[in-house]
Amino acid sequence: RPAFPNPSKGITCIPVNTKVPVSYTLDVFDASGRWIEQLGQGKTAGGENRFYINTQSWTSGVYQIRFRSQFGVQNQSIVVR
């Protein structure tokens, strides 16, 4: 399931599905692949998890949100206006 709303200028929901609980990090990268910040880390429950991020202070552009766990990486693109 994709991030919503997208494009965004405010709060955006990043849904991530995992079959089992996982340890994770959630990071954001700009369009050139430069790391911007870590949005979160911890442990999820199995199933759909929703992460809410505030993009209001971000510069307009395209960003990659990277969810990394011991089972791999999931990337989602968001556009900030």
Side-chain angles (χ1 to χ4, degrees), residues 1-4 13-24 26 44-51 66-76:
R1 190 168 170 192
F4 62 91
C13 179
I14 308 294
V16 176
N17 284 302
T18 62
K19 293 183 181 193
V20 296
V22 298
S23 296
Y24 75 92
L26 190 67
T44 68
E48 184 175 74
N49 297 274
R50 293 181 176 197
F51 300 93
R66 181 175 296 163
F67 177 89
R68 182 183 301 270
S69 76
Q70 66 266 36
F71 297 108
V73 175
Q74 296 179 43
N75 290 308
Q76 292 196 37

Side-chain angles (χ1 to χ4, degrees), residues 10-80:
I11 303 296
T12 299
C13 179
I14 308 294
V16 176
N17 284 302
T18 62
K19 293 183 181 193
V20 296
V22 298
S23 296
Y24 75 92
T25 58
L26 190 67
D27 295 290
V28 61
F29 297 83
D30 67 13
S32 67
R34 184 174 56 103
W35 179 82
I36 302 296
E37 67 178 301
Q38 186 173 79
L39 300 170
Q41 68 177 8
K43 243 188 158 105
T44 68
E48 184 175 74
N49 297 274
R50 293 181 176 197
F51 300 93
Y52 294 91
I53 57 174
N54 188 347
T55 64
Q56 194 167 21
S57 64
W58 298 6
T59 305
S60 296
V62 178
Y63 294 87
Q64 289 290 318
I65 308 299
R66 181 175 296 163
F67 177 89
R68 182 183 301 270
S69 76
Q70 66 266 36
F71 297 108
V73 175
Q74 296 179 43
N75 290 308
Q76 292 196 37
S77 292
I78 62 170
V79 176
V80 174

